[in-house]
Amino acid sequence: NLGAKFKLLAQIGIASAVYLCNIRIELFREPFTGVDWQLGAFGYVATVLWLVSLTNLINLIDGIDGLAGGIGLMLMLLMANLGVTDRLDFCALLAFGVAGALLGFLKYNYPPARIYMGDGGAYFLGFLIGILSIVNSNKGTVAAALIAPAFALALPIVDVGLAILRRGARGLPVFRPDQKHIHHHLLITLGISRERTLLNLYTVSLLCLFLALCVFCLQGRLLPFFTGLLFLVLLVAGHLSGFTRNWFQVGSQLGQSLRLRKETRYALTLDRWFMLEADRRGNIEDMWEDYRFVVRKLGFSRLKLTLPGRPVQTWEAEGFNPQEGTLLQAAHEISDGTVVEFGADSRVMPEVLFTLLGDLAAETWYKAAQRSRARKPKEGPAAANQAPEKNAPAGTGPGLAGPPPPNTLVGGRIYL
């Protein structure tokens, strides 16, 4: 349950320790001319940035069963290939060993999963990939050993890059999870099954891995050609999945993002106010009145709150007529069984804004409820509802270590 900022600072500290232990990026060979560049003091920045980036890349794509493990397996096989020179050294043996462990892990992590990777496993895989690529780069294959993993990780790099741009355009914190990743688009928007989604992402990752092996075998030669080929693979995959249909509407997207940023700042301000009010009231039932105020100020016209073992609470704005105009509706199910449902008139609130504010409002209630339960873990009916869900993985659910990892599907439900 460590915060994102604390984790990032800890990762920077660990990467700095690696640099002090003389595992570092000191030299970069420019692949087009073959000129070697001594990085000097900038080598520290490059080493830390490389290790921290790869550590988090694997963790950020761990949003669907089998994805992080499968891509990690492909990367370990690539690392094993990079480590094999005239003999089988320790780095190659380590990569082969972890690849074997991932094969055993995927047997039980493939949908429907029986075990889960978690942050510890994802961070370990990403960090190990970063370490092995630096060690291999010190064997005289500097450019190829660093560029090849970047090629193989093209899919998660693009996914994370789009997530940063998306959250920045909407005024959301960079570390805030959402349900707009590539695998969420395939699962939710297109309605593809988890297994088929995983196989589609595996296919794209294997193509990227093949291009990475080509780059390494050619020692960085023909890099512009393979870069263009990689871009073409990603573009075709994005077009076939419908993920790129709004990419070329740059003008309207920029204008829309300005309004979304204002609305997001306002919603986050209401979120902070509601947290303070929840601390003062300290009772979930008493928070209903304040939550209605938050929902009304955000512009929603209808609210329905279903708490386990309690009467259903409903609210509608004065003068709201669901028969007029187009009614937008969304239901958010939280890990303890609570369901928050929103409704709004599309003439008043555009669909993209409805989706954004609905996510934020549902998260606001979830955080306040969690804080309320933390203060009174064994009081009243709330304690009876703190058993983990039947379909939830071990260590999740209210009253335990915390909710399932963000952006994951558990038991057929999407958890915030």
Side-chain angles (χ1 to χ4, degrees):
N1 293 325
L2 299 175
K5 293 181 180 178
F6 181 87
K7 290 181 181 179
L8 181 62
L9 290 174
Q11 291 167 6
I12 292 174
I14 294 170
S16 300
V18 170
Y19 179 84
L20 293 176
C21 291
N22 209 32
I23 299 178
R24 57 184 68 170
I25 302 174
E26 298 178 301
L27 178 73
F28 184 80
R29 180 169 299 157
E30 207 277 315
F32 302 105
T33 62
V35 177
D36 291 337
W37 296 88
Q38 293 289 341
L39 298 179
F42 187 72
Y44 167 75
V45 178
T47 302
V48 171
L49 184 63
W50 179 258
L51 289 175
V52 172
S53 298
L54 289 186
T55 298
N56 287 283
L57 268 177
I58 300 299
N59 185 57
L60 288 170
I61 63 170
D62 188 23
I64 178 175
D65 299 334
L67 182 57
I71 292 181
L73 172 62
M74 298 177 199
L75 265 294
M76 279 301 145
L77 293 175
L78 176 64
M79 291 299 108
N81 188 282
L82 299 185
V84 175
T85 52
D86 54 337
R87 58 188 178 86
L88 197 62
D89 62 6
F90 173 76
C91 289
L93 287 173
L94 179 61
F96 276 124
V98 176
L102 284 170
L103 275 176
F105 170 76
L106 283 172
K107 178 181 177 182
Y108 302 98
N109 185 240
Y110 192 83
R114 284 173 281 175
I115 59 175
Y116 305 87
M117 180 173 291
D119 284 356
Y123 284 148
F124 166 74
L125 279 179
F127 186 75
L128 186 59
I129 291 167
I131 286 283
L132 292 178
S133 60
I134 292 177
V135 172
N136 290 326
S137 73
N138 294 328
K139 299 176 182 178
T141 57
V142 180
L146 295 179
I147 293 175
F151 266 62
L153 284 166
L155 183 62
I157 288 173
V158 169
D159 190 24
V160 172
L162 290 175
I164 293 174
L165 290 175
R166 179 174 62 250
R167 293 165 190 171
R170 299 184 176 189
L172 295 169
V174 173
F175 295 108
R176 182 187 182 274
D178 59 24
Q179 298 177 20
K180 305 295 182 182
H181 290 279
I182 294 175
H183 50 272
H184 289 137
H185 173 78
L186 297 176
L187 285 168
I188 302 172
T189 307
L190 300 185
I192 300 176
S193 67
R194 278 181 283 178
E195 185 172 4
R196 185 180 167 193
T197 295
L198 188 61
L199 292 176
N200 288 339
L201 296 176
Y202 276 176
T203 301
V204 176
S205 297
L206 282 172
L207 290 173
C208 296
L209 179 66
F210 173 74
L211 295 177
L213 288 171
C214 291
V215 169
F216 176 73
C217 293
L218 294 173
Q219 294 297 297
R221 295 186 295 271
L222 299 179
L223 182 61
F225 169 75
F226 287 111
T227 302
L229 207 55
L230 177 67
F231 179 78
L232 182 62
V233 168
L234 295 175
L235 193 62
V236 170
H239 176 73
L240 292 177
S241 65
F243 199 76
T244 60
R245 65 177 183 270
N246 296 324
W247 283 12
F248 301 104
Q249 302 174 2
V250 179
S252 60
Q253 294 290 328
L254 288 176
Q256 187 182 77
S257 68
L258 294 177
R259 181 184 178 186
L260 291 179
R261 289 181 65 86
K262 292 180 181 179
E263 295 289 347
T264 298
R265 286 197 297 269
Y266 185 62
L268 294 177
T269 301
L270 288 172
D271 173 85
R272 289 191 291 270
W273 173 83
F274 185 65
M275 291 297 115
L276 294 174
E277 286 296 315
D279 288 339
R280 292 178 61 196
R281 293 186 180 260
N283 189 296
I284 289 182
E285 287 81 359
D286 293 339
M287 288 161 26
W288 166 248
E289 181 180 348
D290 294 326
Y291 192 58
R292 282 189 307 171
F293 172 79
V294 170
V295 170
R296 180 172 61 83
K297 296 297 287 183
L298 288 176
F300 292 103
S301 303
R302 172 185 285 176
L303 170 64
K304 181 179 179 181
L305 180 65
T306 305
L307 297 171
R310 295 184 176 89
V312 176
Q313 303 272 17
T314 59
W315 166 83
E316 284 189 357
E318 186 177 349
F320 172 67
N321 185 357
Q323 305 301 324
E324 297 179 1
T326 303
L327 178 64
L328 299 174
Q329 299 185 82
H332 299 262
E333 185 169 355
I334 302 174
S335 55
D336 63 350
T338 299
V339 180
V340 187
E341 300 177 53
F342 302 101
D345 191 333
S346 62
R347 297 173 300 179
V348 178
M349 183 182 294
E351 185 175 358
V352 62
L353 182 60
F354 175 80
T355 302
L356 173 63
L357 295 181
D359 290 343
L360 291 172
E363 183 181 325
T364 294
W365 176 266
Y366 168 75
K367 292 189 298 184
Q370 287 292 95
R371 290 170 68 163
S372 176
R373 291 192 183 94
R375 287 191 300 272
K376 295 191 247 182
K378 296 182 180 181
E379 184 175 321
N385 294 311
Q386 290 198 7
E389 283 199 27
K390 180 179 179 181
N391 293 325
T396 64
L400 297 175
N407 304 331
T408 58
L409 278 169
V410 177
R413 301 188 179 102
I414 299 173
Y415 289 83
L416 297 176

